[in-house]
Amino acid sequence: AQSVTQLGSHVSVSEGALVLLRCNYSSSVPPYLFWYVQYPNQGLQLLLKYTSAATLVKGINGFEAEFKKSETSFHLTKPSAHMSDAAEYFCAVTSGSKLTFGTGTRLQVTL
Amino acid sequence: GAGVSQTPSNKVTEKGKYVELRCDPISGHTALYWYRQSLGQGPEFLIYFQGTGAADDSGLPNDRFFAVRPEGSVSTLKIQRTERGDSAVYLCASSLNGPGVRTEAFFGQGTRLTVV
């Protein structure tokens, strides 16, 4: 079965600093991978998805992620953090008819 | 509305009671999903509907949980004899077609269920 592991339940960065949120996957078949963001009291919103068309995927709000098969990773990055990026981020992989989510990483952005 | 709507937004119930959670998907979306998100965890799959039928209910934890979508639009998640362990945020999502990477699932804001 496909699964994802998110390293670090909490990440804190200064405004303007690089954001790096880690996700590693386990899959017996080529995976389809996603990053979702959840702002307080809001639903999940799709940031970006990997569909095997390109290894570097650009998403909304300046985020991007790179699929690295050799490392079984799909880390999320943003060059410069903004206060509005503070939220919970979930990595997910398709598994049959459903998405299987990681446990999430809460991003804190400080001044 | 334009998005997935879930009601109520919050529900507090006593242990042993029956609850119903409602999901209004985006108009025209044939696929509908229910997930459960416990504190500190990612969403966990419960059930997937394609049209009126439950195409995959492998995530329902036990027979106290049941969901319907009689007309292929609104869905209701029903929980009988609630237990404190059922406390969680229940998320609903819909997509235009069935599961697939080219079909984005849109999530509602969830119903926070608290069993006391």
Side-chain angles (χ1 to χ4, degrees):
Chain A
Q2 285 83 339
S3 66
V4 289
T5 302
Q6 291 185 244
L7 300 176
S9 58
H10 288 83
V11 170
S12 182
V13 300
S14 300
E15 190 174 35
L18 171 72
V19 175
L20 171 61
L21 305 182
R22 299 178 186 275
C23 174
N24 287 88
Y25 69 88
S26 174
S27 177
S28 57
V29 297
Y32 295 124
L33 295 158
F34 304 77
W35 275 101
Y36 281 83
V37 61
Q38 188 174 36
Y39 297 103
N41 300 316
Q42 294 189 27
L44 292 162
Q45 181 182 4
L46 181 66
L47 273 178
L48 50 80
K49 60 185 179 184
Y50 168 72
T51 63
S52 75
T55 56
L56 182 62
V57 182
K58 294 188 183 297
I60 62 171
N61 301 339
F63 284 92
E64 63 182 37
E66 185 172 9
F67 174 77
K68 292 187 176 180
K69 184 178 179 180
S70 62
E71 299 178 7
T72 61
S73 69
F74 190 57
H75 300 331
L76 182 70
T77 60
K78 182 173 181 178
S80 177
H82 192 272
M83 296 296 289
S84 61
D85 295 326
E88 184 121 27
Y89 292 80
F90 293 95
C91 182
V93 63
T94 51
S95 182
S97 57
K98 61 184 181 284
L99 288 169
T100 299
F101 288 86
T103 52
T105 298
R106 183 167 298 280
L107 176 65
Q108 181 182 18
V109 183
T110 59
L111 288 172
Chain B
V4 177
S5 176
Q6 291 187 246
T7 54
S9 55
N10 280 282
K11 176 71 177 177
V12 180
T13 190
E14 292 181 347
K15 179 176 176 294
K17 298 290 188 181
Y18 167 84
V19 296
E20 289 189 351
L21 311 179
R22 176 188 168 104
C23 173
D24 262 293
I26 293 172
S27 178
H29 281 193
T30 63
L32 185 145
Y33 310 81
W34 283 99
Y35 287 80
R36 178 170 70 175
Q37 186 174 15
S38 300
L39 194 62
Q41 300 295 317
E44 294 177 303
F45 171 79
L46 295 176
I47 187 169
Y48 152 59
F49 286 91
Q50 182 59 46
T52 60
D56 183 351
D57 64 358
S58 61
L60 295 177
N62 51 60
D63 61 6
R64 295 187 297 106
F65 288 75
F66 190 70
V68 295
R69 194 185 185 199
E71 298 179 356
S73 178
V74 171
S75 176
T76 304
L77 179 65
K78 308 180 181 195
I79 310 174
Q80 298 178 320
R81 306 183 302 280
T82 51
E83 300 177 357
R84 292 197 177 87
D86 299 335
S87 297
V89 176
Y90 289 81
L91 298 170
C92 178
S94 70
S95 63
L96 186 60
N97 299 308
V101 293
R102 305 193 188 286
T103 304
E104 180 178 347
F106 294 86
F107 283 80
Q109 295 185 353
T111 293
R112 182 176 299 277
L113 175 66
T114 304
V115 182
V116 297

